[in-house]
Amino acid sequence: MKLIEHARNLAYNPGVTPKQGGLPGLDVLKNVMGSLNLFGIIAAVGALVISVAIWAWGHHSGGHQAEANGKKGTAIAAGCALLMGAANGIVAFCSAMGTQVH
């Protein structure tokens, strides 16, 4: 009996879909998110420059730990920039895939 109730609850469709302009302040929120994304990308550029400098300094000075940390920082900063630049596409893709679930 509980299994049937559980299946019935899973099949329930609340009928909620994203709606453009449903709440006031949507344009402000988009501007704030865009500005935060820009600041994040600028911070990733700074982190990338610093990490590459540490990588080069560690390589030329024989500091293996500094070289390894510079490599890690470079990969992390590049990955963060990639994800922040692709944020709209990732969210749009996942949202579109979510609409396919029935």
Side-chain angles (χ1 to χ4, degrees), residues 6-52:
H6 185 65
R8 191 176 304 142
N9 287 338
L10 286 176
Y12 177 72
N13 181 7
V16 177
T17 58
K19 181 179 176 188
Q20 186 76 292
L23 291 174
L26 187 60
D27 292 333
V28 173
L29 184 60
K30 286 181 184 179
N31 286 335
V32 169
M33 290 297 109
S35 297
L36 288 174
N37 195 359
L38 175 65
F39 281 124
I41 290 173
I42 291 170
V45 169
L48 185 65
V49 169
I50 291 169
S51 296
V52 168

Side-chain angles (χ1 to χ4, degrees), residues 47-48 51 54-55 65-79:
L48 185 65
S51 296
I54 291 171
W55 183 0
Q65 187 70 30
E67 183 179 0
N69 287 337
K71 286 179 186 180
K72 281 191 287 189
T74 300
I76 291 170

